[in-house]
């Protein structure tokens, strides 16, 4: 039989790791929201995506979360008229990244809340383990 409290720590730890990776992807997207191509008509930064999946931890028997795939969003680029931009084509059109900062901010907020929930799970589990140890010591 596996230790349920140990399994809780493992599950929440995998959640922390997954959300840390997600925060890095969201940060890259926000940082590059206005990054254009180097030459006229060149493609700009393309939004990155992340996909999660569950993984069975054979030692604890717990279903943990892991990053299954990092990808790129293949949606269309945004076109803006800016003839003075070095990345503008002969019509003055600049391809802008397919990053919507409002969506990224929503993803960041969700990532932060999920990270905090996993962190709280770890804190509560550690408290339960400490209380159990204290009870066992007191009963001797």
């Amino acid at each position: 039989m596996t230790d349920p409290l140990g399994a809780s720590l493992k599950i929440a730890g995998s959640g922390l790791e997954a959300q840390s990776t997600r925060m890095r992807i969201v940060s890259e997207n926000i940082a590059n929201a206005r990054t254009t191509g180097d030459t006229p008509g060149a493609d700009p930064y393309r939004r990155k995506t992340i996909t999660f999946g569950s993984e069975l931890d054979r030692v604890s028997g717990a279903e943990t979360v892991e990053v299954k795939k990092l990808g790129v969003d293949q949606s269309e680029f945004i076109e803006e008229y800016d003839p003075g931009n070095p990345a503008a084509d002969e019509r003055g059109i600049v391809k802008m990244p397919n990053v919507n900062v409002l969506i990224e901010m929503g993803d960041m907020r969700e990532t932060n809340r999920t990270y905090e929930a996993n962190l709280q799970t770890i804190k509560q589990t550690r408290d339960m383990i400490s209380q159990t140890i204290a009870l066992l010591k007191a009963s001797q």
Side-chain angles (χ1 to χ4, degrees):
M1 180 175 188
T2 62
D3 173 28
L5 294 177
S8 295
L9 290 172
K10 185 170 272 305
I11 294 166
S14 72
L16 289 176
E17 187 174 337
Q19 293 306 321
S20 294
T21 303
R22 183 179 183 195
M23 185 62 82
R24 181 181 61 83
I25 297 300
V26 169
S27 298
E28 286 180 25
N29 289 339
I30 292 172
N32 288 289
R34 301 291 297 170
T35 303
T36 61
D38 294 334
T39 59
D43 285 348
Y45 174 83
R46 191 171 284 277
R47 179 179 181 263
K48 293 182 180 176
T49 61
I50 187 168
T51 305
F52 298 119
S54 63
E55 182 71 24
L56 177 65
D57 180 63
R58 295 185 193 280
V59 175
S60 67
E63 289 282 333
T64 60
V65 66
E66 72 173 7
V67 174
K68 281 286 187 189
K69 183 177 125 182
L70 297 176
V72 290
D73 183 346
Q74 295 297 325
S75 64
E76 295 292 321
F77 293 119
I78 300 163
E79 293 185 346
E80 291 183 4
Y81 180 72
D82 185 4
N85 191 314
D89 63 13
E90 64 280 347
R91 300 174 295 137
I93 301 295
V94 178
K95 290 182 186 176
M96 300 303 291
N98 58 348
V99 175
N100 182 330
V101 176
L102 291 176
I103 290 173
E104 299 302 324
M105 294 296 288
D107 283 352
M108 184 186 339
R109 186 171 297 128
E110 181 182 337
T111 301
N112 185 49
R113 287 185 178 146
T114 305
Y115 188 93
E116 287 176 354
N118 281 299
L119 196 58
Q120 188 62 33
T121 299
I122 290 172
K123 288 178 183 178
Q124 292 293 328
T125 303
R126 285 179 48 199
D127 286 348
M128 290 174 70
I129 291 170
S130 294
Q131 291 173 4
T132 303
I133 291 170
L135 283 172
L136 291 171
K137 284 182 178 179
S139 67
Q140 292 179 0

